[in-house]
């Protein structure tokens, strides 16, 4: 019993120590809620926190397993987030709920953002200054050195490969966003009128997507576990790919083949290729919720994240390898993949719903 | 005084959390107009019912078969290790060992050169109901054993066994026909907790369960995060509640069906002795369990040092000690936070359970009540969302500790119950007759007698607190990252090498606590014998 008593006493002492120490920090804390699943991103944010510390800002990376948790809190409850990393449907939900600050006017570095990038719409939703681009995503496949060849593979070629190598192909289960994007890429490859997908879903949607469903009926019997199960996430698929269970993985980071080989996460010789002629391209953003307690400090963090120093570091292949969104002079920046524009946002729920109706 | 304390505990730890969660329920009520989409729920519901029934039955049968040997201290050590390994860490470890590209297939290939690529028809694929069931079994049997061992202490079952043997009964017959009927009713609420856990656990099936479609809890979880207006999550919550009720009734029926079965068997079961066979079977499970939990820890340890390690290489192609070195400065503050949070929560939850049970003991009310266990029967997601609306985000400290205590309290109550309500008043009377005051007698005689139960309860509550994810993340608003919140977010990225490191560290704290508190078994046994 005495040991137990000592434990409790120790615990309370620690508690008071922790509470007492907190107000001593003179720096402005910025609570940055961001996905914490990628060690390379986490390392990058540790570096950024060290840099910002010298500017009297304490950047705290609050690692979440899914940023949707926080979006849910912001729209329906409360959150203490000062800064969040979002895009797509999470952005839409926050925009619709009016939970984001208008910040584009306050960020001087925005002038340096590469104007060739189509970042003003986020999955078809107008950004309207509510978020600021941080990096760039391009959907593509990773393939082992002896598997798929070339710079791109069409939907038809993929089907032929799957038929020859049963059980070696799969894709993350929609509505996981890599999975849904996989469907979009197939649609672009199969469709005669790809430009129609930049418009909202209309009455012709069923007719437009018919080739995709027919194609999947043919493809699924050749998939891993005959399409009765799917990887739950791109990360899971990546692990199976690394161990030779599958011949392809999916990725949104155009430099990921290089960075992951450097990390020893996937075998050397892994190649990247687009599904269809080009890579569906979108952006990921930083935004400040209206409920943020430290808006000014959060703005300074964004300013730093868009600086040349930070963007250059972010692009390094021995780190995160995320392409810069600003124009960096003399950069030997790794090449981007051919760009295909993102679908209108209304296609996202339509495809997810139609897919689960048919294959769930 | 004790009565007031007991009422206060129940108000603060059961009634208040329920009331505080009401905002979320109201909010859920907005979706009441939604029509159930039957095609969405049919497979998950039937899959979940099958899984829950078979897992619960298997846990019960194997738990009872093993329960007789857990007085053995080695056995207890195994249970402690299995029980204290946080479930996500355990699931990751099992996957590293047994998945199609795991150590087992690699070993087979290294020895026989028969599996150049991970086998497609492997009986334990990464995602299946079977894999899920096995991990749940391995996590739940030790829990039942812990409860069974605290309840068995209250039964003079060794005497019954001896008497039965002297009448020529086999040990197995005596166990199943004499001891089990007395033990079963005492396990009812623990079994109900197992049913609810199997029904509602989310993180293990997300990792290992099927997803075409998933089990009920994962479908509810995924629906919860959907943005569409057609949000079926509310209906899912109702499904969960309905299934809980139905399965609870089934359990009740099963338990009350056992005594008639026993009467039938008493007349027909032959009397041959199978003492040895039975003993070795029970010890066999413990050895397999011990081996497996050690292998899990070893696999996590190896993975945390691994560089590249692609199938079919048995050993990592390179080693990376650097991961430990670079992560350690970031990990130890997390361990400290987790540690003090768990120490305080476990101490408070243990004290709370003692208050409630002391009241029960004094009023001679020996049955296990459902009220203190209520929080085990409600999905955590709903509760925490409601609390957060009430308290606001970023309310670190008191609110967070309170939430941990709320979830630890049912476990301390379960673990302490058997020992506490059955301790005889005559110890207090004897002490008083020797000149102690009532209070002195309570503190110096009664409490030390129940020391082992208190330590077990504390250790279990400690590991429950360590494993809390949602309350820690949401109520502290990220201002107090713990080893668990970090471990879960890192595991979501699927880099098992780093995730293994965090899982190991997450397993470390409860393991240390169990070893510290329950490793003093030999001294305890001497006391037990003296009684």
């Amino acid at each position: 019993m005495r040991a137990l008593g000592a434990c409790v006493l120790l615990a309370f002492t620690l508690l008071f120590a922790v509470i007492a120490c907190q107000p001593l920090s003179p720096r402005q804390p910025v609570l940055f809620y961001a996905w914490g699943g990628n060690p390379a991103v986490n390392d990058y944010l540790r570096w950024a926190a060290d840099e910002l510390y010298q500017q009297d800002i304490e950047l705290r990376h609050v690692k979440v397993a899914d940023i949707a948790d926080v979006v849910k809190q912001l729209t329906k409850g409360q959150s203490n987030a000062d800064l969040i990393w979002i895009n797509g449907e999470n952005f839409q939900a926050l925009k619709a709920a009016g939970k984001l600050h208008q910040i584009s006017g306050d960020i001087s570095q925005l002038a340096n953002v590469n104007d060739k990038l189509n970042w003003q719409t986020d999955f078809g939703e107008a950004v309207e200054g509510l978020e600021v681009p941080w990096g760039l995503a391009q959907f593509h496949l990773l393939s082992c050195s002896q598997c798929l060849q070339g710079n791109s593979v069409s939907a038809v070629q993929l089907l032929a490969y799957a038929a020859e190598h049963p059980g070696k192909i799969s894709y993350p289960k929609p509505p996981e966003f890599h999975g849904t994007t996989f469907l979009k890429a197939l649609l672009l490859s199969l469709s005669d009128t790809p430009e129609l997908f930049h418009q909202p879903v209309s009455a012709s949607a069923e007719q437009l997507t018919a080739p995709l469903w027919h194609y999947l009926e043919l493809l699924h019997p050749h998939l891993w576990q005959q399409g009765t199960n799917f990887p739950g996430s791109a990360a899971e698929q990546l692990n199976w790919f690394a161990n030779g269970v599958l011949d392809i993985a999916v990725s949104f980071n155009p430099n990921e083949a290089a960075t992951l080989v450097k990390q020893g996460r996937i075998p050397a010789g892994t190649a990247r290729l687009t599904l269809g002629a080009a890579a569906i391209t979108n952006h990921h953003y930083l935004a400040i919720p209206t409920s943020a307690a430290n808006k000014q400090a959060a703005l300074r963090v964004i300013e730093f994240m868009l600086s040349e120093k930070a963007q250059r570091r972010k692009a390094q292949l021995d780190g995160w390898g995320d392409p810069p969104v600003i124009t960096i002079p003399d950069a030997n920046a790794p090449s981007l993949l051919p760009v295909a524009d993102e679908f209108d946002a209304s296609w996202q729920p339509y495809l997810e719903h139609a897919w689960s109706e048919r294959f769930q | 005084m004790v009565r007031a304390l007991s009422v206060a505990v129940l108000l603060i730890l059961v009634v208040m959390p329920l009331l505080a969660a009401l905002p979320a329920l109201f909010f859920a009520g907005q979706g009441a107009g939604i029509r159930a989409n039957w095609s969405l729920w049919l497979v998950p519901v039937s899959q979940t019912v099958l899984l829950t029934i078979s897992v619960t039955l298997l846990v019960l049968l194997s738990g009872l078969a093993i329960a007789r040997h857990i007085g053995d201290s080695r056995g207890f050590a195994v249970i402690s290790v299995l029980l204290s390994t946080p479930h996500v860490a355990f699931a990751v470890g099992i996957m590293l060992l047994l998945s199609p590209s795991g150590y087992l297939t690699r070993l087979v290939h290294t020895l026989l050169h028969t599996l150049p690529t991970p086998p497609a028809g492997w009986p334990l694929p990464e995602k299946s109901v079977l894999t899920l069931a096995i991990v749940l079994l391995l996590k739940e049997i030790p829990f039942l054993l812990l409860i069974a061992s605290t309840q068995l202490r209250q039964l003079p079952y060794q005497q019954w066994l001896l008497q039965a043997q002297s009448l020529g009964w086999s040990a197995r017959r005596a166990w199943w026909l004499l001891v089990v009927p007395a033990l079963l009713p005492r396990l009812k609420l623990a079994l109900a907790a197992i049913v609810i856990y199997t029904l509602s656990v989310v993180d293990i099936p997300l990792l290992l369960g099927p997803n075409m479609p998933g089990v009920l809890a994962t479908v509810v979880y995924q629906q919860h995060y959907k943005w569409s207006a057609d949000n079926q999550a509310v209906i899912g919550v109702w499904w969960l509640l309905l299934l809980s009720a139905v399965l609870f009734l089934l359990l009740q029926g099963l338990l009350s069906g056992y005594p008639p079965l026993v009467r039938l068997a008493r007349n027909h079961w032959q009397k041959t002795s199978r003492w040895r066979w039975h003993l070795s079977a029970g010890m066999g499970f413990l050895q397999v369990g011990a081996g497996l939990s050690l292998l899990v820890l070893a696999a996590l340890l190896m993975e945390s040092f691994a560089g590249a390690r692609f199938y079919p290489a048995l050993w990592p192609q390179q080693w990376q000690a650097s991961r430990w070195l670079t992560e350690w400065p970031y990990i130890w503050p997390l361990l400290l936070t987790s540690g003090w949070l768990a120490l305080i929560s476990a101490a408070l939850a243990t004290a709370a359970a003692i208050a409630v049970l002391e009241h029960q003991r004094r009023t001679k009310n020996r049955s296990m009540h459902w009220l203190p266990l209520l929080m085990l029967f409600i999905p955590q997601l709903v509760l925490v969302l409601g609390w957060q609306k009430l308290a606001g985000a970023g309310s670190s400290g008191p609110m967070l500790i309170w939430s941990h205590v709320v979830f630890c309290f049912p476990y301390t109550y379960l673990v302490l119950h058997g020992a506490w309500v059955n301790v005889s008043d005559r110890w207090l009377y004897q002490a008083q007759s020797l000149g102690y005051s009532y209070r002195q007698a309570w503190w110096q005689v009664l409490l030390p007698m129940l020391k082992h139960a208190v330590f077990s309860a504390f250790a279990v509550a400690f590991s429950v607190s360590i494993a809390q994810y949602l309350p820690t993340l949401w109520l502290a608003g990220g201002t107090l990252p713990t080893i668990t919140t970090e471990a879960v977010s890192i595991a979501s990225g699927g880099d098992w090498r780093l995730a293994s490191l965090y899982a190991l560290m997450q397993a470390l704290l409860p393991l240390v606590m169990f070893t510290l508190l329950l490793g003093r078994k030999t001294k305890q046994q001497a006391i037990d014998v003296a009684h």
Side-chain angles (χ1 to χ4, degrees), chain B residues 493-513:
Chain B
D495 188 340
W496 295 128
R497 298 166 303 169
L498 188 62
S500 295
L501 174 67
Y502 275 78
L504 263 184
M505 288 294 109
Q506 196 202 5
L508 182 73
L509 284 175
L511 201 60
V512 167
M513 188 53 71

Side-chain angles (χ1 to χ4, degrees), chain A residues 227-238:
Chain A
T228 54
N229 270 318
F230 287 84
S233 65
E236 199 164 58
Q237 179 161 4
L238 189 70

Side-chain angles (χ1 to χ4, degrees), chain B residues 134-449:
Chain B
I134 285 176
V135 170
L136 286 176
L137 273 179
L138 286 168
K139 279 306 285 178
E140 286 168 0
I141 290 176
F143 174 70
L144 188 72
L145 284 178
L146 185 77
I147 303 298
S149 77
T150 64
Q151 295 291 332
L152 271 178
R153 266 168 225 270
Q154 317 310 316
L155 295 174
Y157 76 104
Q158 298 285 9
Q159 288 172 26
W160 298 352
L161 289 178
L162 274 176
Q163 282 173 7
Q165 255 184 304
S166 70
L167 291 174
W169 285 32
S170 71
R172 183 158 64 132
R173 187 166 181 239
W175 173 258
W176 287 103
L177 301 187
L178 290 175
V179 182
V180 169
L183 184 61
L184 263 187
R186 291 160 177 263
L187 296 179
K188 189 170 80 184
L189 287 175
L191 284 169
I194 287 176
V195 166
I196 303 300
Y197 183 77
T198 314
L199 207 61
S200 62
V201 60
V202 173
D203 38 13
I204 300 182
L206 275 182
L207 213 56
L208 302 168
N211 63 2
M212 276 299 285
V215 291
L216 182 59
T218 57
V219 178
V220 174
Y221 177 84
Q222 280 153 359
Q223 288 288 326
H224 194 80
Y225 286 118
K226 258 175 67 173
W227 299 114
S228 65
D230 168 46
N231 196 324
Q232 298 269 327
V234 182
I235 294 166
V237 170
W238 282 105
W239 268 119
L240 274 177
L241 294 176
L242 182 75
L243 285 193
S244 316
V246 169
L247 290 171
F248 189 76
L249 285 179
L250 264 181
L251 183 69
Q252 185 95 16
L254 179 80
L255 295 186
S256 56
Y258 190 72
L261 210 67
V262 166
R263 277 194 290 280
L264 205 69
R266 276 190 188 142
N267 304 323
H268 295 288
W269 200 336
Q270 81 248 18
K271 293 185 179 179
T272 54
S273 172
R274 297 200 187 154
W275 184 246
R276 278 174 190 288
W277 172 85
H278 191 39
L279 189 72
S280 57
M283 288 315 290
F285 174 86
L286 284 180
Q287 271 149 9
V288 171
L292 206 59
S293 51
L294 283 180
L295 282 176
V296 160
L297 292 178
L300 289 175
L301 191 65
M302 181 128 93
E303 193 71 7
S304 74
F305 277 109
R309 191 183 74 97
F310 305 120
Y311 193 91
L314 187 58
W315 306 108
Q317 283 113 329
Q318 336 135 2
W319 299 88
Q320 284 180 355
S322 59
R323 193 174 299 117
W324 279 83
L325 297 176
T326 52
E327 291 299 319
W328 183 244
Y330 298 95
I331 285 181
W332 86 261
L334 299 174
L335 288 178
L336 198 68
T337 314
S338 289
W340 68 254
L341 200 55
L343 277 179
I344 297 174
S345 315
L348 289 177
T350 311
I354 290 178
V356 171
L357 285 166
E358 178 63 14
H359 177 60
Q360 272 189 252
R361 189 186 66 80
R362 291 192 189 181
T363 52
K364 303 269 189 289
N365 181 349
R366 294 181 163 206
S367 56
M368 194 182 261
H369 288 299
W370 57 268
L371 190 64
L373 303 176
L374 197 61
M375 289 300 132
L376 292 183
F377 305 150
I378 300 172
Q380 209 184 30
L381 202 77
V382 180
L383 289 173
V384 180
L385 202 67
W387 300 346
Q388 207 225 354
K389 281 173 94 75
L390 201 75
S395 54
S396 62
M399 180 81 181
L400 182 62
I401 292 173
W402 173 74
S403 74
H404 277 222
V405 177
V406 166
F407 291 117
C408 292
F409 170 64
Y411 289 96
T412 51
Y413 180 82
L414 265 179
V415 175
L416 275 176
H417 172 267
W420 212 273
V421 295
N422 286 302
V423 72
S424 167
D425 271 342
R426 77 194 151 95
W427 298 107
L428 285 172
Y429 297 146
Q430 278 182 8
Q432 278 172 291
S433 73
L434 292 172
Y436 285 88
S437 73
Y438 186 85
R439 182 168 296 190
Q440 279 174 327
W442 195 89
W443 283 101
Q444 294 178 20
V445 177
L446 193 81
L447 205 55
M449 275 176 63

Side-chain angles (χ1 to χ4, degrees), chain A residues 91-112:
Chain A
F91 170 65
Q92 266 179 43
L94 289 172
K95 185 183 171 189
K99 296 286 185 185
L100 294 176
H101 271 306
Q102 172 79 38
I103 49 172
S104 56
D106 301 322
I107 308 285
S108 63
Q109 291 284 356
L110 216 48
N112 299 337

